[in-house]
Amino acid sequence: MKPGDLIAYDKENQHYTKKIVNPEVYSSWMSSKLIFDKTELKEVLDILKDTYGLKIKIDDPKLMNMTISGSAPTKNVDLLIGALSEILDLKFIKTGNTLMITSK
């Protein structure tokens, strides 16, 4: 492997894939920000789930394929959720530790 190489395992299909990525995207958490580079909403929601312990509910599975590029601060989850909502033009409703995502 070389810098920028990423190996991902698809548990469902029991398959490995190799792709070239921007390493800054994967290390940006160390500087209290997230960097997205054509990142699918599915991956963004996994980050929210893993980082903030949120339970995610989404009304339309097709939304998971939406992509986002840019950066956002991670210190304030409510600010992050608000920014994602505006950028993706979706409704993010946080109640306790549950995050519901719907089309506007």
Side-chain angles (χ1 to χ4, degrees):
M1 290 181 59
K2 296 178 273 188
D5 287 350
L6 175 77
I7 303 293
Y9 179 68
D10 181 346
K11 184 177 176 181
E12 193 173 298
N13 297 317
Q14 298 182 353
H15 173 281
Y16 289 96
T17 52
K18 179 181 173 184
K19 60 183 176 179
I20 297 173
V21 298
N22 176 354
E24 191 175 75
V25 170
Y26 293 88
S27 63
S28 61
W29 61 271
M30 292 187 291
S31 57
S32 299
K33 66 180 177 178
L34 293 174
I35 297 177
F36 305 113
D37 184 18
K38 298 177 194 153
T39 306
E40 287 188 346
L41 180 57
K42 178 189 181 317
E43 189 175 339
V44 173
L45 297 179
D46 285 342
I47 292 168
L48 292 176
K49 188 172 27 173
D50 294 343
T51 305
Y52 302 102
L54 295 174
K55 182 178 178 182
I56 308 293
K57 295 183 178 181
I58 190 160
D59 73 342
D60 183 357
K62 292 180 208 166
L63 298 175
M64 296 293 239
N65 297 324
M66 295 179 74
T67 61
I68 184 171
S69 294
S71 66
T74 59
K75 289 186 179 186
N76 182 329
V77 67
D78 294 322
L79 183 63
L80 175 59
I81 290 169
L84 292 171
S85 175
E86 288 297 316
I87 292 166
L88 294 166
D89 197 29
L90 298 173
K91 191 182 292 186
F92 283 57
I93 304 165
K94 183 175 171 270
T95 306
N97 72 334
T98 301
L99 181 64
M100 179 67 187
I101 298 130
T102 63
S103 298
K104 284 189 176 179

